[in-house]
Amino acid sequence: MELEVKLSEKSYKVVLQRGILNNINSYYDFNNRKVLVITDDGVPSIYSEKVINQIPSSYLLVLKQGEQTKSIDSFIKIQTFLLENNFTRNDIVIALGGGVIGDLSAFCASTYKRGIKFINIPTTSLSQIDSSVGGKTAIDFLDTKNVIGTFYQPEIVLIDFDTLKTLPSRHLYNGLMEALKMGLILDEELFNIFKQNEYLTRIEEVIYLSIKRKIEVVQKDEKESYYRMILNFGHTLAHPFESINNFENILHGEAVASGMLYMIDDLKLKKEVYRIIKTMNISLVKDYSLEEVFDYLVNDKKADTNYINVVLVKNVGQGQIVKMTYEELKERIAGEKDELNNW
Ligand SMILES: NC(=O)c1ccc[n+]([C@@H]2O[C@H](COP(=O)([O-])OP(=O)(O)OC[C@H]3O[C@@H](n4cnc5c(N)ncnc54)[C@H](O)[C@@H]3O)[C@@H](O)[C@H]2O)c1
């Protein structure tokens, strides 16, 4: 399966295929180029072995797994490596891993010598479904997530569904929340795969349809001027939920799961989404202070002075960006919290 991302800056392909790790050199010419493969120590080493064995001049950098690797220290480490090994703009950086490795490697590639070629090989459901497309690169800085970053597009994205076989189920479900989100806001067919409890047996379709929808959104609004905000469904509250928990004991998708329930206007649909979330053993975020959530929101980059844009869903596949005052949002959350706490 193949998809194409057509952007003003450049166009590139997303190739989705079981076993593609065994023949990446059929999709890109690695001859006469140095290639730095960046991965982390949680990604099974069999994957990096397969990749480097196909590249004549390859280098491997294995970083520590976890969000803390998306740091200025890792940035310095990678830039030092590239410079000391005389990488030029014609050489390549490959990210082989989840969103942490993808965001960090792409950011390094976008800044080294004002932009070196970058290839993304995402190996988690989250990075395949969500971060493989859209060009957002980032590192975290001074306890703020994704605060330093660029928009930068890869040469190609290669997705091997087989890598998901080794992914722990908690991480698998974490990424699937972004697909459930995509179905709710934009694609009834995708949502129905979840509704019919077929999201594991039809995971290839789930990933394909999610990326297809994300491409459509990104092509309409590359730099998030307005329409791309639709992808923030469930995220308005997910970000404070993660922050309040200091990003510990809660994964992004798990926070999105709770965040989405607050923004569904139809009770029957809300109950259906809750049922789906429970099939993945995801618990709702319950013990939090409304004041803490609002302190975070007021300081968040998505907020302007009196209003905040949130995404609501009433009917499947028809997400809507709605401008609300903070007071209106607070009232909504307080009401929903009372109800959801009893579920
Ligand atoms: N750029 C974007 O558009 C975008 C979108 C969403 C999220 N993100 C970012 O993505 C990051 C989260 O990504 P993530 O959920 O992939 O987390 P992650 O990169 O930390 O990966 C999760 C864990 O899975 C391990 N792993 C990776 N592939 C594996 C495999 N195939 N088998 C077994 N283990 C494997 C990793 O070592 C890690 O321990 C966050 O930093 C977030 O900000 C970026």
Side-chain angles (χ1 to χ4, degrees):
M1 290 186 277
E2 264 187 34
L3 288 161
E4 186 161 17
V5 188
K6 292 184 197 144
L7 300 176
S8 57
E9 187 189 325
K10 83 195 272 192
S11 297
Y12 60 93
K13 273 189 201 165
V14 180
V15 189
L16 309 96
Q17 194 184 295
R18 278 195 188 276
I20 203 170
L21 274 189
N22 298 312
N23 60 332
I24 58 160
N25 53 0
S26 314
Y27 293 91
Y28 204 83
D29 182 6
F30 295 106
N31 289 312
N32 305 314
R33 297 174 200 275
K34 290 179 198 167
V35 180
L36 173 61
V37 179
I38 304 175
T39 189
D40 69 44
D41 58 10
V43 179
S45 57
I46 176 88
Y47 303 147
S48 49
E49 281 160 24
K50 282 184 186 183
V51 168
I52 57 179
N53 282 340
Q54 297 168 61
I55 301 171
S57 177
S58 60
Y59 300 73
L60 179 65
L61 203 53
V62 184
L63 304 174
K64 207 166 159 292
Q65 64 185 299
E67 182 70 28
Q68 67 280 5
T69 286
K70 252 174 73 173
S71 65
I72 198 88
D73 289 347
S74 304
F75 173 79
I76 292 169
K77 193 170 180 176
I78 293 169
Q79 301 295 0
T80 307
F81 191 97
L82 292 169
L83 195 56
E84 286 184 351
N85 289 286
N86 300 315
F87 271 64
T88 68
R89 293 185 66 198
N90 204 33
D91 297 325
I92 303 172
V93 168
I94 294 184
L96 177 71
V100 164
I101 289 299
D103 280 11
L104 168 71
S105 308
F107 178 62
C108 291
S110 75
T111 46
Y112 180 75
K113 296 196 172 170
R114 301 196 179 85
I116 180 173
K117 293 185 194 315
F118 171 65
I119 292 177
N120 198 0
I121 309 184
T123 62
T124 61
S125 53
L126 183 122
S127 58
Q128 295 184 353
I129 285 165
D130 194 8
S131 54
S132 61
V133 163
K136 284 187 178 177
T137 86
I139 56 171
D140 308 332
F141 187 58
L142 296 180
D143 292 334
T144 307
K145 249 183 85 93
N146 298 329
V147 69
I148 301 178
T150 53
F151 280 98
Y152 195 63
Q153 309 302 335
E155 297 292 296
I156 190 166
V157 177
L158 302 172
I159 294 183
D160 189 339
F161 302 116
D162 278 345
T163 58
L164 300 181
K165 285 182 190 158
T166 52
L167 192 67
S169 60
R170 188 174 174 204
H171 280 289
L172 184 72
Y173 294 146
N174 176 48
L176 283 174
M177 275 304 125
E178 294 290 348
L180 179 61
K181 171 199 85 177
M182 206 60 100
L184 280 162
I185 53 173
L186 291 170
D187 191 329
E188 192 168 1
E189 183 192 348
L190 175 55
F191 178 75
N192 284 339
I193 299 179
F194 284 93
K195 196 172 166 184
Q196 292 150 12
N197 296 329
E198 292 175 345
Y199 51 84
L200 292 180
T201 50
R202 294 168 68 189
I203 195 154
E204 297 184 11
E205 256 176 286
V206 167
I207 294 173
Y208 176 84
L209 288 173
S210 303
I211 297 179
K212 188 168 173 246
R213 291 301 182 191
K214 181 151 184 193
I215 290 173
E216 286 165 8
V217 173
V218 168
Q219 283 179 172
K220 274 193 200 158
D221 180 9
E222 288 180 32
K223 301 269 164 80
E224 201 167 304
S225 313
Y226 183 73
Y227 180 61
R228 190 165 167 171
M229 273 189 247
I230 195 87
L231 301 176
N232 287 337
F233 175 57
H235 288 60
T236 308
L237 290 180
H239 292 143
F241 287 162
E242 286 177 281
S243 169
I244 288 168
N245 284 285
N246 296 320
F247 297 93
E248 285 162 14
N249 307 322
I250 184 163
L251 296 176
H252 177 66
E254 295 167 348
V256 169
S258 289
M260 289 194 296
L261 290 173
Y262 283 80
M263 301 295 164
I264 296 175
D265 274 338
D266 178 78
L267 184 60
K268 195 165 160 240
L269 179 60
K270 194 172 5 194
K271 288 198 163 155
E272 182 58 29
V273 173
Y274 178 68
R275 186 197 64 75
I276 295 167
I277 290 169
K278 289 318 267 178
T279 65
M280 299 184 200
N281 283 326
I282 293 177
S283 312
L284 296 189
V285 178
K286 286 189 175 171
D287 299 320
Y288 63 89
S289 115
L290 211 54
E291 295 313 318
E292 251 187 294
V293 166
F294 271 80
D295 283 349
Y296 177 96
L297 287 176
V298 171
N299 292 317
D300 186 43
K301 62 182 186 301
K302 288 175 197 72
D304 60 26
T305 344
N306 300 313
Y307 293 93
I308 183 163
N309 284 310
V310 299
V311 182
L312 302 180
V313 168
K314 186 157 190 209
N315 300 309
V316 175
Q318 295 172 24
Q320 282 187 321
I321 303 168
V322 177
K323 201 168 183 169
M324 277 186 186
T325 63
Y326 282 99
E327 274 316 304
E328 284 166 339
L329 180 61
K330 205 170 199 169
E331 253 174 54
R332 181 187 181 95
I333 295 173
E336 297 283 332
K337 189 179 181 215
D338 287 346
E339 185 185 331
L340 287 168
N341 273 353
N342 293 322
W343 284 21

